[in-house]
Amino acid sequence: MQIPVLLAFLGLSLIVLSVMGAIALSTRGRALPQADVQAHGYALRRIWFFVLIATIALGLAVTLPRLPYAAAAGEQGARHITVVTEQFAFEMPAQLPLDTPLVFDVSAKDVNHGFGIYDPHERLIAQVQAMPGYVNHLAYTFHEAGRYTVRCLEFCGVGHAAMKASFLVQ
Ligand code: CUA
């Protein structure tokens, strides 16, 4: 892994150095009048502004409709599981059913927390923010029996690192 990273770093460094070198060489001639430079700079900035706006608009148009939270809230026939978080614990059932569509309704009593579910092999499989004053919905169906771990994924205070829980799926 280290060698590809080193090569990528060297490659990028070379590109940056080349660009800086090109800029340095381009300034060796006589200085242009400020008015010319300014007009050119403003024109470039205007184009860049519209490119950025278009990129952001396109990104939002493509990604916003795919947010899973609204769909999870309305999931038909799913069993809703209430999860309340607080410094530094999760209040939730100790057992959950296998092969049953579930929707976790996640909120917080005090500050922002994270609700991250890890499968029996310690892989993060689903997560949502836990926020005071909101209920966020996370849809998930467990297809593997075993003990799952829940960890807070948002720095929430001195006990953050120890904020975890577990539940059994069977
Ligand atoms: Cu709760 Cu970090």
Side-chain angles (χ1 to χ4, degrees), residues 81 91-97 146-148 165-170:
I81 308 293
E91 204 176 286
M92 64 175 295
Q95 265 188 36
L96 291 171
R147 182 153 293 280
Y148 288 67
S166 76
F167 58 86
L168 199 62
V169 170
Q170 57 182 19

Side-chain angles (χ1 to χ4, degrees), residues 156-167:
C156 56
V158 289
H160 162 73
M163 181 168 169
K164 64 177 180 175
S166 76
F167 58 86

Side-chain angles (χ1 to χ4, degrees), residues 88 112-114 152-157 160 163:
F88 298 97
N112 271 29
H113 298 278
C152 181
L153 299 181
E154 184 77 46
F155 184 72
C156 56
H160 162 73
M163 181 168 169

Side-chain angles (χ1 to χ4, degrees), residues 87-120:
Q87 288 164 325
F88 298 97
F90 295 92
E91 204 176 286
M92 64 175 295
Q95 265 188 36
L96 291 171
L98 191 64
D99 295 325
T100 309
L102 302 175
V103 172
F104 293 94
D105 301 326
V106 183
S107 64
K109 275 187 188 169
D110 38 34
V111 299
N112 271 29
H113 298 278
F115 176 68
I117 303 175
Y118 292 74
D119 73 8

